[in-house]
Amino acid sequence: MTFDPSAIDEVSRPAFSFITETSFIGETEPHRHGKAQLLYVMSGVLTMRAAGGVWTVPPNCALWIPGGVPHSGRVAGHIKIGNLYVDAKLTGGLKDECGILFVQPFLRELIFRLEPRPDSPEMEPGRIHRLVGVLLDELRAAPLEPIHLPMPTDRRLQRLTEAMVAEPGLRFTIDEWGARVGASNRTLSRLFQRETGMSFLRWRQQLHIGVALQRLAAGQFVTVIAGDLGYESVSAFIAMFRRMLGTTPTRYFSDQMQASPHRLEITADWRMGPGEAGGPDRGKGSASNLVLFRREPN
């Protein structure tokens, strides 16, 4: 099955949502659609490439993707996602760039309420428009989180950053990286600030935050994560994490759960069939809404 982004744009509703759930290791095919999208991660961790950067979306957070922005995602394990689509004509006043936000209980309720359900009467248009108005107010008020890894366009920085993404535990200094990519310390420092808005050290810390969130969501111990990322001690890693996100690794997910205490029952159970997207195990809804995943070899 191939994913047809035009199927999303053909839906006439001003906003609608659906839930996907899968256990998978792989990537979504790059795609775009005219409607804006909010990818709400209910459990698991999603990594998205969009707008020239890498976005790590932990549980109870969502990634806002304006209409027309190409994007692809990576999943590593079990994940539940609420997919919300909004007509681009209604997104005036919302951010015109990607961003990660916490999903508070009221916003989450709206995402679920806008899901068409085969076992329920069709919602009348006036009610939909009123709900969408409230939804847009909530999106405008939602605070953004600094979980973004901007990717550079300079060829030398691309070689450096792609190597670090592939092996985040590398601890080369900027001088050592300069010798490998053919640029001086001064040149690399200037390029990092110009192309990513961050220093080399801040960019590496941002990378480590994304990796740590993925591994924490998979149940790995902080001691293992700190060692794999090359920190001399667990306390040094925890101090970096606290500076970046304002809390410790062990408290990060529990803090979010306390902020969003209400548990909602998934009403549409979407599952991948053996070897394909939308196989015989899929539940309610249309398989055309699923993005095809590329399974990685074992």
Side-chain angles (χ1 to χ4, degrees):
M1 185 197 80
T2 58
F3 173 68
D4 181 9
S6 66
I8 296 297
D9 291 331
E10 289 170 0
V11 177
S12 60
R13 282 191 172 209
F16 68 95
S17 64
F18 64 88
I19 310 304
T20 59
E21 179 178 3
T22 184
S23 293
F24 206 84
I25 300 177
E27 298 180 359
T28 65
E29 297 288 349
H31 62 285
R32 72 173 79 192
H33 33 73
K35 292 184 185 295
Q37 182 176 12
L38 187 74
L39 278 164
Y40 163 43
V41 177
M42 299 159 61
S43 65
V45 175
L46 177 68
T47 301
M48 297 293 297
R49 282 186 178 265
V54 177
W55 308 79
T56 299
V57 192
N60 296 311
C61 287
L63 175 63
W64 171 254
I65 305 175
V69 174
H71 53 280
S72 62
R74 177 179 177 81
V75 176
H78 189 80
I79 193 166
K80 296 177 184 177
I81 300 174
N83 302 271
L84 173 72
Y85 295 92
V86 182
D87 191 319
K89 296 191 295 292
L90 302 177
T91 59
L94 296 178
K95 293 192 176 298
D96 58 2
E97 57 188 22
C98 294
I100 289 180
L101 52 92
F102 280 119
V103 176
Q104 299 295 338
F106 186 46
L107 177 56
R108 180 168 58 180
E109 292 280 359
L110 288 169
I111 294 171
F112 276 79
R113 192 65 57 88
L114 288 167
E115 178 192 7
R117 303 182 182 183
D119 55 351
S120 300
E122 178 67 18
M123 194 181 299
E124 58 97 6
R127 178 167 171 75
I128 293 177
H129 284 281
R130 289 191 295 272
L131 287 175
V132 171
V134 176
L135 169 73
L136 296 175
D137 285 343
E138 288 298 300
L139 290 175
R140 292 187 188 99
L144 296 183
E145 288 299 303
I147 313 175
H148 174 218
L149 190 67
M151 300 299 286
T153 58
D154 179 85
R155 176 181 52 82
R156 291 160 295 182
L157 282 194
Q158 284 182 339
R159 288 174 56 196
L160 187 162
T161 54
E162 291 294 346
M164 292 175 69
V165 168
E167 295 186 62
L170 291 174
R171 304 297 289 189
F172 297 143
T173 66
I174 194 167
D175 288 310
E176 291 170 324
W177 277 117
R180 285 167 170 77
V181 301
S184 67
N185 177 328
R186 191 171 184 176
T187 298
L188 286 183
S189 297
R190 176 175 51 81
L191 286 172
F192 255 103
Q193 195 64 48
R194 187 184 74 189
E195 298 219 356
T196 71
M198 301 178 183
S199 68
F200 166 75
L201 290 178
R202 177 60 184 258
W203 191 94
R204 185 169 65 186
Q205 290 174 342
Q206 199 79 345
L207 169 65
H208 288 174
I209 288 294
V211 173
L213 289 174
Q214 294 177 40
R215 296 188 179 184
L216 287 167
Q220 292 189 18
F221 292 111
V222 173
T223 52
V224 174
I225 298 170
D228 287 347
L229 293 179
Y231 287 82
E232 294 181 357
S233 66
V234 176
S235 59
F237 169 73
I238 292 174
M240 182 278 296
F241 194 100
R242 187 195 292 272
R243 283 197 306 272
M244 299 289 283
L245 295 182
T247 188
T248 65
T250 53
R251 287 186 58 87
Y252 183 80
F253 291 111
S254 61
D255 287 348
Q256 290 188 56
M257 289 307 298
Q258 290 173 12
S260 302
H262 305 297
R263 309 293 285 183
L264 293 180
E265 193 173 316
I266 296 178
T267 58
D269 186 18
W270 303 69
R271 299 187 184 277
M272 308 278 291
E276 64 172 358
D281 296 330
R282 69 175 182 263
K284 304 171 186 175
S286 168
S288 65
N289 287 333
L290 284 175
V291 178
L292 179 64
F293 283 83
R294 294 197 298 269
R295 185 180 298 277
E296 293 187 347
N298 294 325

